[in-house]
Amino acid sequence: MSPCRASLGQRLKSVRLQLGISQRQFAVALGTASNHICQVERDHCIPGAKLLRGMREQFGIDINWLLSGETDYVATTLLEREVDKLIRQFQAADPSARAMLLQTASFTAAASR
């Protein structure tokens, strides 16, 4: 079944699985109970405005698509979003800050080996 023809709950579950996180992790990040996420994914209830806003802010979920199924959505992993954020911050930094970021990244990588 195409994600756009799926129910709201099926679309949410597909996004969560593409993000590679459990219902519990998703719920914790959104400040709700994992049982609530389960109920939404089973189409037993519809998420409220606060939960929808959290989904958009925390995970970049297109709420219009989630509710209607009418736009294309490509989920990114948390790592991809973090890398994109780092790249944007690096590009916005001045040369000395870029040098410091590179040194920090090298130090962190070496320390984690």
Side-chain angles (χ1 to χ4, degrees):
M1 176 179 285
S2 149
C4 291
R5 293 203 173 134
S7 68
L8 182 151
Q10 291 168 327
R11 285 190 294 276
L12 180 60
K13 183 176 182 176
S14 73
V15 169
R16 181 181 58 75
L17 292 175
Q18 287 177 20
L19 291 169
I21 59 176
S22 68
Q23 284 181 343
R24 186 179 190 303
Q25 292 168 315
F26 195 62
V28 167
L30 296 171
T32 191
S34 57
N35 185 48
H36 184 64
I37 299 302
C38 179
Q39 295 299 312
V40 173
E41 288 184 358
R42 290 182 177 187
D43 293 309
H44 293 171
C45 66
I46 296 173
K50 182 179 177 183
L51 190 59
L52 290 169
R53 184 173 49 250
M55 289 178 194
R56 184 190 71 232
E57 291 172 357
Q58 293 289 321
F59 298 101
I61 295 173
D62 180 341
I63 300 306
N64 291 327
W65 170 81
L66 182 65
L67 295 173
S68 68
E70 290 189 2
T71 62
D72 290 331
Y73 175 81
V74 177
T76 58
T77 65
L78 292 173
L79 178 61
E80 289 170 328
R81 287 200 319 275
E82 289 170 341
V83 168
D84 287 343
K85 184 177 180 180
L86 283 171
I87 291 170
R88 285 191 308 274
Q89 290 172 340
F90 182 82
Q91 290 170 333
D94 63 36
S96 64
R98 285 183 181 184
M100 187 170 67
L101 285 169
L102 288 172
Q103 287 176 337
T104 303
S106 294
F107 175 78
T108 304
S112 66
R113 290 183 198 155

